[in-house]
Structures are given as C-alpha cells and as structure tokens.
Amino acid sequence: MPKIKTKRAAAKRFKVTGTGKLKRSKANKSHILTKKSTKRKRGLRQAAMTDATNVKAMKKVLPYL
C-alpha cells in the first residue's frame, strides 16, 4: 500500500498536544485590527483546541501527526 500524503496546508495550521488533541490558532488577527478592542485582540493570541466535530476529518488529512 502506498504512503498517504499529508496535506501541507493543514500541517502548517495544526499541532498535536501531548494528550493527542489538535491545537490551532484563532482567526481574525491578521488585518482590520483598528476597530477591534485590545481585549478581543489579546484573546485572539491564545491558541485554541480544534472542535470535536472536526477532529476526525483533520486526522484523515494529517495521517502522521
């Protein structure tokens, strides 16, 4: 059986934690930042866990994580 290719776009966006959960960065932090409050921007810096509904699809796209 051939090897499965990793989707490189997904590999750049997701990391696996020690317990096997998928960690992601939050959206809406790249531009149009002047109208967003400091509190909101500060919250967007924190990493978030991928929702359970998406984990199955992400594991298929990232077979070797």
Side-chain angles (χ1 to χ4, degrees):
M1 228 176 121
K3 292 185 209 172
I4 306 165
K5 283 192 175 181
T6 299
K7 295 286 184 269
R8 298 310 298 162
K12 292 167 189 172
R13 288 167 172 82
F14 296 94
K15 297 280 178 263
V16 175
T17 63
T19 55
K21 293 179 182 175
L22 286 174
K23 189 169 73 169
R24 64 171 177 85
S25 57
K26 292 182 182 174
N28 305 313
K29 185 66 173 78
S30 57
H31 62 104
I32 318 175
L33 296 172
T34 50
K35 65 174 80 168
K36 293 170 190 163
S37 68
T38 310
K39 182 180 178 181
R40 182 175 167 190
K41 289 186 281 189
R42 195 164 54 240
L44 291 171
R45 280 185 221 146
Q46 311 305 319
M49 293 301 145
T50 305
D51 194 67
T53 55
N54 297 324
V55 169
K56 188 178 176 184
M58 288 297 107
K59 295 279 186 180
K60 189 181 282 189
V61 167
L62 303 164
Y64 299 108
L65 280 184

